Amino acid sequence: MRKHMLLIALFTLVIASVADARIMAKGRGAKMNFDPDSIPAQYKAQFDLMTRKCVKCHTMERTVIAIQTGRAPITGQPFERQAVKAYGIKMLRKPDSNMNKQEIRDVVMLLNFLLGENAK
Amino acid sequence: MKKRLIRSISIAVIGGLALSLLHVGKASAIPAFTRAYKVECSTCHTIYPELNEYGEAFLKNSYVYFGKGKKAVREKEAAAPAEIAKPAAAATDVKGEGDADKLSKLKAGAMGASGATASEPAAEATSPANGAAGGGEAKSEGLLLAAIPELLPISFTASVQGAYDHSQPNEFDLSSRVLKLNAGGNFREKASFFATYVAYSENTSNITNTTSTTPANNSTNIKELYVIWRRAFDTPINFRVGRMEPKLSLWKSSNKLSVTNSFAPYSYTVGVSEFTIQQPQDALEANAILGNRFFVAGGVVNRKFQNAKEGYGHISCKFGGADYLANEPEVDLAKEESIFDFLTITVGAYGYYGKNGTPNTTPGITPIQNTYYRSGVDMDILYKLFRLRLAGVLGDDDSSNLTASLSNVAPVKVKSYVAAVEGEFTFLQNLIGAIRFEYQDDGRGLVRRYIPTLAYGPLENVKVVLEYKHEVATSYASTPTSVAQDFTNRIGTLDVTFSF
């Protein structure tokens, strides 16, 4: 019983904290990014990775807009979990994206998390 | 409430910024498809006009942006399980943050404010996907009914070249200038069109002294001009009619890094015949993507003053990589990296059969004809930063000198064997090098070529290409009537090409 209570408590806590942790964007244009303060600690590493690697060919703005609008800004396609994975695979395969599978997996996980947050 | 306000404002800001970004993109001037679809060159090109996988898919999809078509988006949304589709759906609910509709309206507003013409926001908002997804402004009904693209789908490509040839008296020559117009697009995804018009190319034949003469224009010419009836009768078959490069080799002739050197298998001629595989022809072609990874094409070529039609066929298949509809391959991100995650192999085979010579439509005159065929295979291998292209053609001409048995000169039968192999390496996204070897046994002798190319794109629509051709001919007759001899050509070219 106590175990259950604990679980429920934990669950509500997680929900509450996540619900609270709105993902905000900061900056303008080329400097736009998700607000690092709104990224939970367990995603910090992935977030840093994304901020470093995903700006090689374009700014973070694209990614922020894709998450916020649920629509990929360039191609206009829905930006949902499936699309995020496909986009990750595309990036993995792009010559010169300079990202390996592990890194892509991390960014995909982060983007999925952000999508989930934003859908709340 | 306050949060919402902040969010609305941030959307406005994002929208405005997105828009100014698009504007910057436009200011840097990029051609028709880029303008129409608001995508960057690198979506479809490596260093243009060389295509990447997605450009190839766009081409095969008759200039309808994969995934952007109404159908594609509908299919995608239908295919996505409810739970997966949720974020996208949620984006349009009351929360505002992800309201695509609102965003595009804001974008449109910002565009108007920044002094763009009134039609532009509509163009932005009515790209098929937005329309289909319920986002964006409605395209004016008139334009919609007229099926006319909102933005004039024309672009220009200009090249300026300098050549260095040690054997020439004028060793370094600003050798040529070319201006081409390209137009292309689709009409409500039902029909597509494409045209290449050579507005200017250098003609030096009238220059006899150097007092003060600038080279004249060669006659202008339509290189390609065709329309495509897409997905005829709701089948996967597209009908293409007009002047076109028949679909034979894996790559269109422009789809390469080098600017001056066509691939020998597609550009060699035999005897007095001017036929080449990449030559634009007046033709009717049917083609289709089958099972996402096969492409088949077949066509009939019309020749003036000839009542016999010529025919051709092509089949190709792609293993690995994105399919011909630009869907990403299934890659398990949780698994260890494997070479199959990165390996893409495309193979193609084709054949062309025809007859050319003197007109066979003049009553009472026996035509002098050459019956010929070409059959070829191509292969394109892509692995990470490496790309390898292989091309080989076998040709047969039964009367390459175009003489009939009634004259006293015997017809010269020629079997031709021409092959090329090109390796390419992507140093950086905008710096690509290639080296090609060609072997050409075309009945006039033997030619071997070594062609290194280095292309650099300082901007996506500007490129600088340095290339060198080392050509070794062994007992080769440069023209059908000249005497066979050994010779070596060494030509360096520096090219600057820009498109807008």
Side-chain angles (χ1 to χ4, degrees):
Chain A
M1 193 60 207
R2 272 186 63 190
K3 218 171 169 185
H4 266 164
M5 290 288 277
L6 205 76
L7 264 175
I8 289 164
L10 209 74
F11 189 68
T12 31
L13 204 76
V14 167
I15 294 281
S17 67
V18 167
D20 203 38
R22 284 274 173 232
I23 305 301
M24 305 298 283
K26 248 175 101 166
R28 298 163 153 259
K31 291 219 181 80
M32 178 188 268
N33 199 351
F34 300 103
D35 182 355
D37 296 339
S38 64
I39 305 291
Q42 73 263 38
Y43 284 106
K44 271 271 160 13
Q46 282 102 314
F47 179 71
D48 288 345
L49 178 75
M50 179 169 81
T51 309
R52 256 184 305 118
K53 293 269 186 161
C54 298
V55 293
K56 184 170 175 189
C57 312
H58 51 75
T59 63
M60 277 307 293
E61 191 182 27
R62 264 182 209 189
T63 313
V64 175
I65 291 177
I67 294 288
Q68 286 190 326
T69 61
R71 197 159 281 282
I74 310 296
T75 53
Q77 288 180 274
F79 200 71
E80 22 72 353
R81 294 179 81 91
Q82 232 180 7
V84 168
K85 184 177 176 214
Y87 201 80
I89 293 170
K90 189 172 183 179
M91 278 306 116
L92 176 68
R93 300 189 317 107
K94 244 189 199 352
D96 204 35
S97 75
N98 209 4
M99 291 181 80
N100 64 31
K101 227 169 169 173
Q102 175 68 47
E103 292 169 329
I104 292 288
R105 187 161 61 221
D106 287 352
V107 174
V108 166
M109 268 167 59
L110 171 65
L111 289 176
N112 280 336
F113 163 75
L114 293 173
L115 267 180
E117 281 307 283
N118 225 45
K120 284 206 179 103
Chain B
M1 194 61 222
K2 212 171 155 194
K3 244 183 186 173
R4 261 203 210 158
L5 191 73
I6 291 171
R7 236 177 255 160
S8 305
I9 292 169
S10 60
I11 290 169
V13 172
I14 293 162
L17 286 174
L19 215 91
S20 57
L21 198 80
L22 289 173
H23 259 283
V24 171
K26 250 192 264 160
S28 64
I30 19 188
F33 295 133
T34 300
R35 269 194 276 270
Y37 293 107
K38 305 270 187 290
V39 291
E40 55 215 78
C41 309
S42 64
T43 299
C44 288
H45 294 280
T46 53
I47 292 181
Y48 83 98
E50 189 182 55
L51 296 175
N52 64 25
E53 293 185 276
Y54 308 96
E56 196 57 57
F58 180 67
L59 176 65
K60 288 193 162 61
N61 207 14
S62 313
Y63 314 110
V64 171
Y65 205 64
F66 30 81
K68 190 145 193 171
K70 292 185 179 95
K71 250 195 184 151
V73 170
R74 236 182 282 129
E75 273 160 18
K76 274 212 163 134
E77 280 173 355
E83 181 247 331
I84 284 170
K86 196 184 156 223
T92 51
D93 77 9
V94 284
K95 286 253 164 88
E97 186 147 17
D99 191 336
D101 229 322
K102 199 178 215 167
L103 180 72
S104 61
K105 275 191 191 132
L106 286 163
K107 275 188 186 183
M111 236 200 218
S114 67
T117 63
S119 68
E120 273 183 303
E124 154 72 330
T126 53
S127 54
N130 288 348
E137 312 281 295
K139 185 172 174 171
S140 95
E141 197 186 30
L143 274 175
L144 200 70
L145 291 174
I148 290 174
E150 204 110 8
L151 296 172
L152 200 60
I154 293 183
S155 61
F156 299 83
T157 296
S159 294
V160 177
Q161 286 169 359
Y164 182 83
D165 185 345
H166 189 66
S167 67
Q168 293 293 322
N170 182 9
E171 285 183 352
F172 188 83
D173 187 26
L174 273 178
S175 52
S176 69
R177 285 137 287 269
V178 181
L179 179 66
K180 275 191 267 185
L181 266 78
N182 287 298
N186 71 74
F187 305 135
R188 292 197 353 216
E189 299 171 25
K190 292 214 162 30
S192 307
F193 69 100
F194 193 84
T196 317
Y197 175 75
V198 182
Y200 176 83
S201 67
E202 206 103 336
N203 178 5
T204 52
S205 63
N206 59 345
I207 300 181
T208 49
N209 62 52
T210 60
T211 47
S212 179
T213 318
T214 45
N217 192 0
N218 270 318
S219 60
T220 57
N221 205 354
I222 282 171
K223 209 176 139 236
E224 291 167 286
L225 175 66
Y226 53 82
V227 293
I228 301 172
W229 178 17
R230 286 189 78 236
R231 313 250 164 108
F233 305 111
D234 272 330
T235 66
I237 302 172
N238 311 306
F239 287 102
R240 178 159 82 128
V241 65
R243 181 164 305 168
M244 67 188 78
E245 281 179 21
K247 180 61 192 172
L248 292 167
S249 61
L250 279 184
W251 315 281
K252 242 182 118 165
S253 65
S254 55
N255 184 357
K256 59 184 186 318
L257 204 62
S258 166
V259 273
T260 52
N261 298 295
S262 293
F263 277 89
Y266 314 138
S267 57
Y268 80 99
T269 58
V270 172
V272 298
S273 167
E274 284 170 18
F275 175 83
T276 69
I277 282 167
Q278 66 180 28
Q279 169 191 8
Q281 310 267 17
D282 296 319
L284 170 66
E285 178 181 295
N287 62 49
I289 297 172
L290 299 176
N292 292 11
R293 290 193 173 269
F294 284 91
F295 188 72
V296 291
V300 179
V301 171
N302 182 65
R303 228 171 263 302
K304 289 280 173 265
F305 308 118
Q306 175 171 302
N307 62 12
K309 301 291 175 242
E310 312 192 350
Y312 63 91
H314 162 103
I315 180 160
S316 49
C317 180
K318 189 170 178 188
F319 307 93
D323 67 23
Y324 285 147
L325 298 174
N327 298 307
E328 288 302 316
E330 202 38 63
V331 171
D332 191 343
L333 289 178
K335 282 211 183 113
E336 281 294 294
E337 256 178 40
S338 118
I339 72 161
F340 296 107
D341 294 344
F342 301 98
L343 187 66
T344 304
I345 299 177
T346 314
V347 287
Y350 57 88
Y352 188 105
Y353 174 86
K355 252 181 206 294
N356 56 14
T358 60
N360 67 1
T361 49
T362 323
I365 297 179
T366 315
I368 306 172
Q369 300 244 290
N370 169 38
T371 305
Y372 62 101
Y373 73 77
R374 301 282 180 273
S375 52
V377 288
D378 297 320
M379 193 153 156
D380 191 337
I381 303 171
L382 188 69
Y383 181 74
K384 292 191 171 175
L385 302 171
F386 298 92
R387 181 176 188 175
L388 187 70
R389 305 195 206 205
L390 301 147
V393 175
L394 172 71
D396 185 288
D397 290 64
D398 76 351
S399 181
S400 68
N401 53 346
L402 275 187
T403 49
S405 44
L406 43 136
S407 67
N408 49 14
V409 187
V412 177
K413 270 187 187 300
V414 172
K415 272 208 185 300
S416 46
Y417 308 90
V418 185
V421 48
E422 182 174 277
E424 205 174 278
F425 185 77
T426 302
F427 296 101
L428 296 168
Q429 215 199 346
N430 61 354
L431 183 69
I432 303 178
I435 183 150
R436 191 196 305 168
F437 170 70
E438 295 181 344
Y439 173 93
Q440 180 170 333
D441 174 1
D442 59 11
R444 282 191 227 153
L446 189 64
V447 186
R448 289 189 185 81
R449 294 187 195 90
Y450 305 86
I451 305 170
T453 306
L454 189 65
Y456 170 61
L459 297 170
E460 284 199 16
N461 63 328
V462 178
K463 69 165 178 176
V464 180
V465 183
L466 181 64
E467 53 191 73
Y468 174 68
K469 176 166 77 173
H470 187 88
E471 189 171 52
V472 184
T474 324
S475 62
Y476 192 79
S478 302
T479 66
T481 49
S482 60
V483 182
Q485 53 187 336
D486 293 355
F487 58 89
T488 304
N489 287 320
R490 298 182 194 88
I491 302 169
T493 310
L494 184 65
D495 168 283
V496 180
T497 297
F498 51 100
S499 289
F500 51 92

